[in-house]
Amino acid sequence: MLEQGAPPQDQRTAAPASPGVAARLMRRKPVECLVAEGGQGEGGTLRRSLGLWQLTMISIGATLGTGIFVVLGQAVPKAGPAVTLSFVIAGLTALFSALSYAELAGTIPVSGSSYSYAYATMGELIAWVCGWCLLLEYGVSVAAVAVGWGEYLNELLDGTIGVTIPDALSAPPGDGGVFNLPALIVVLLAMAFLLGGAKESARANTIMVCVKIAALILFCAIGFMGFKSGNYAHFMPLGMAGVSAAGATLFFSYIGFDAASTAGEEAKNAQRDLPRAIMLSLVIVTTLYVLVAAVAVGARPWRRFNDSEAALAQIMRDVTGQGFWATLLAFCAVIAIASVVLTVLYGQTRILFAMSRDGLVPKVFARVHPKTGAPRANTVIVSLFCGVLAAAVPLGQLADATSIGTLFAFALVNVAVVVLRRTRPDMPRTFRVPLSPVLPALGFAFCVWMMGSLSAVTWVVFGVWMAVGLVFYFGYGYRRSRLATAEDVAVATEK
C-alpha cells in the first residue's frame, strides 16, 4: 500500500522521456566544455605555437590581396570612382562584426570560430547552419582567390619569358577554358605548407604578407604619378545602388579576421592575443584597401577596368609605359595571393576539425598527425575539393557566393555576442564590444542590408547550399553529434 501523498509506483520508476525534436535542435554546448576540448583531436592534439605577431599575419594574410589584387577589377564597373566608398562601407560592416568576433574569440578561444560561438549560444541547428555557411565562405574563397592567382601568373610569365599559359589550361569552363591548371597548382602548394604544421605555415605566411604590403605601397607610389583628378568628376555614376552592390562583392575581401579566430586552439595566449590580432589586422587592411583603390581609380578611368582580374599590373604598365614595374607587381601579387589561399585554407580545415570533433561531420576531419600536430587527412580532402572547384568555376560566381556565406555567418556572430552577454553575464571577457547591444545590432543590420544587394542568382545558390546542408545535418549530424550521443546514453542508463 502506498504512503499518503506518494506518487504511483509506475510514475516513480518510469524512465525519463527522450528529448523532443525541438529540444534536440536547440541543445547548446557549454562554453566550459568547448574550451576544455581545445586542441584535442583523433589520435593527437593541435600545438599551441602562435603568438600575437603570427595571428595578426594570419589575419592580414587571409584578407589583404583578394579584394585589391583580384576583385577590384570587378567592383569598379559596379560603383565607378565611388568604389572607394564601397570599400569603406564594406570595412565598416566588417568592423561591427569584428568587434563581436573579438569579444567571442577572447571568451571562447576555439578553432570553430562563429560555428562554436553559435553552438554555445543559439543551439545545434543554428550552429550547423553557421558552420555550413563557413564551409561555403572558406571553401569557395580559396577557389576564388586561386582563380585570380592564375591571372597574375600569366602576367608574370608574359613579362619575364614572353609566354602565357593557354586559355584552355588557365581559365575555367564558361570563361573560354577547359581547366584552370594554375588555380589547382596554388591550392596544392598551400596544402603542402599546411601539412608541415601550423608554425611552419605561419612562418611562410609572414614572409608573403611582408612582400604584398611592400608591393601595394610600391603601387601607390607609382600609380600616384598617373593620378588625374578628372577621373573622379562623376564620382557616383551608378548611384548608391551601385556602391552597395560593389560593397557586397568587396565584402568578400574582409574575411581575414575570421580566419584568425580559427587559430584559437593553436595560439599561445588565445584569450589575450586573438582580440588584438583581429582588430589590428582589420585596421591595417582597410587602410591599405581604401588607399590603393583611390590611387587605382585616379590613375585609370573607371570605364576602362572592364572586369579585369589583374587590374593593378595593367595600371602600372599604363602609368610607366614600361613592362618592368607591371611584371614586378605581378610577381608580388603571385606571392600575395598565394598567402590568402594558404591562410583561408587553414581556416577551412580548422572549422571542419571543430565540427568533426562535435560529431556533426565524419571523424576523419578531426584526425591529427602526432608528429606535425596538423589534421592531415582533413587538409588533403579540403585542398583537393577546393582545387577542383577553382579549376572549374569562374571567379565572379565564386566571389559573390563567398560574400553571402560570410555575411550570414557574421550576422549570427553579432546575435551570439548579445545572447552570451545575457545568458552568461559574469563570464570573464578579455575584450568587450562597446555600446552593446547597439553596435552588434548595427553589425547585424549592415550584414542583412549587404546580403540584400547581392544578385538573385547568388541567393538561389545560397538557398540550394542551405538545403543540401540541412539534408546532411538531419541525415548525419542530428543523431551522431556528441551531444545527441550523450543524451541517448543518459536516457538508456536511467531506463
Side-chain angles (χ1 to χ4, degrees), residues 40-251:
Q40 299 177 18
E42 296 285 332
T45 58
L46 301 177
R47 297 176 182 174
R48 294 193 176 276
S49 59
L50 306 177
L52 175 61
W53 172 251
Q54 289 92 343
L55 292 170
T56 304
M57 290 298 104
I58 287 174
S59 287
I60 297 176
T63 311
L64 187 60
T66 312
I68 223 59
F69 282 107
V70 178
V71 185
L72 179 65
Q74 296 186 352
V76 172
K78 295 180 180 180
V83 71
T84 52
L85 182 58
S86 299
F87 269 114
V88 172
I89 292 174
L92 186 62
T93 304
L95 174 61
F96 289 134
S97 298
L99 291 169
S100 295
Y101 263 100
E103 177 169 328
L104 292 175
T107 309
I108 313 174
V110 293
S111 291
S113 185
S114 51
Y115 153 76
S116 295
Y117 309 152
Y119 213 162
T121 56
M122 291 177 281
E124 186 172 284
L125 178 61
I126 300 299
W128 169 263
V129 170
C130 187
W132 194 246
C133 284
L134 290 175
L135 297 185
L136 176 68
E137 170 191 338
Y138 280 86
V140 178
S141 176
V142 169
V145 178
V147 172
W149 186 82
E151 294 288 329
Y152 275 98
L153 179 63
N154 260 339
E155 287 280 338
L156 177 61
L157 293 175
D158 185 41
T160 52
I161 58 178
V163 299
T164 58
I165 301 172
D167 288 344
L169 295 177
S170 63
D175 276 2
V178 177
F179 192 79
N180 194 330
L181 183 61
L184 176 61
I185 290 174
V186 71
V187 174
L188 295 181
L189 288 174
M191 179 188 75
F193 278 111
L194 291 175
L195 290 176
K199 186 176 182 179
E200 291 72 17
S201 301
R203 185 180 295 117
N205 173 66
T206 298
I207 295 172
M208 290 188 281
V209 167
C210 291
V211 169
K212 64 180 168 183
I213 290 177
L216 291 175
I217 293 174
L218 175 65
F219 169 81
C220 291
I222 294 178
F224 191 74
M225 294 188 298
F227 191 93
K228 297 178 181 178
S229 59
N231 289 338
Y232 281 91
H234 302 286
F235 182 69
M236 202 180 293
L238 302 175
M240 197 61 199
V243 173
S244 176
T249 297
L250 290 171
F251 193 81

Side-chain angles (χ1 to χ4, degrees), residues 102-409:
E103 177 169 328
L104 292 175
T107 309
I108 313 174
V110 293
S111 291
S113 185
S114 51
Y115 153 76
S116 295
Y117 309 152
Y119 213 162
T121 56
M122 291 177 281
E124 186 172 284
L125 178 61
I126 300 299
W128 169 263
V129 170
C130 187
W132 194 246
C133 284
L134 290 175
L135 297 185
L136 176 68
E137 170 191 338
Y138 280 86
V140 178
S141 176
V142 169
V145 178
V147 172
W149 186 82
E151 294 288 329
Y152 275 98
L153 179 63
N154 260 339
E155 287 280 338
L156 177 61
L157 293 175
D158 185 41
T160 52
I161 58 178
V163 299
T164 58
I165 301 172
D167 288 344
L169 295 177
S170 63
D175 276 2
V178 177
F179 192 79
N180 194 330
L181 183 61
L184 176 61
I185 290 174
V186 71
V187 174
L188 295 181
L189 288 174
M191 179 188 75
F193 278 111
L194 291 175
L195 290 176
K199 186 176 182 179
E200 291 72 17
S201 301
R203 185 180 295 117
N205 173 66
T206 298
I207 295 172
M208 290 188 281
V209 167
C210 291
V211 169
K212 64 180 168 183
I213 290 177
L216 291 175
I217 293 174
L218 175 65
F219 169 81
C220 291
I222 294 178
F224 191 74
M225 294 188 298
F227 191 93
K228 297 178 181 178
S229 59
N231 289 338
Y232 281 91
H234 302 286
F235 182 69
M236 202 180 293
L238 302 175
M240 197 61 199
V243 173
S244 176
T249 297
L250 290 171
F251 193 81
F252 158 76
S253 319
Y254 283 92
I255 66 172
F257 62 85
D258 188 13
S261 69
T262 66
E265 296 175 27
E266 290 163 286
K268 295 177 182 178
N269 191 339
Q271 291 182 312
R272 182 196 68 187
D273 292 340
L274 281 178
R276 296 179 181 180
I278 287 170
M279 300 310 301
L280 182 59
S281 62
L282 186 62
V283 170
I284 293 172
V285 165
T286 302
T287 301
L288 282 170
Y289 274 167
V290 173
L291 181 61
V292 172
V295 172
V297 175
R300 167 182 274 195
W302 70 273
R303 294 184 183 276
R304 290 185 54 203
F305 276 78
N306 298 324
D307 213 29
S308 170
E309 293 168 5
L312 299 191
Q314 295 170 6
I315 291 173
M316 294 277 274
R317 183 182 292 110
D318 293 344
V319 169
T320 62
Q322 301 175 7
F324 169 77
W325 295 108
T327 302
L328 178 61
L329 185 73
F331 169 74
C332 293
V334 166
I335 296 175
I337 298 173
S339 76
V340 180
V341 174
L342 174 66
T343 49
V344 176
L345 190 63
Y346 166 84
Q348 168 77 301
T349 60
R350 270 45 180 186
I351 290 167
L352 273 170
F353 173 86
M355 296 177 73
S356 175
R357 187 172 56 199
D358 290 334
L360 296 179
V361 297
K363 290 183 178 181
V364 65
F365 293 102
R367 292 177 186 166
V368 177
H369 193 272
K371 286 187 176 181
T372 63
R376 282 194 168 183
N378 180 344
T379 302
V380 171
I381 294 170
V382 171
S383 299
L384 292 177
F385 173 79
C386 293
V388 172
L389 188 66
V393 182
L395 173 62
Q397 298 174 22
L398 291 173
D400 281 350
T402 302
S403 290
I404 197 168
T406 304
L407 288 163
F408 191 86

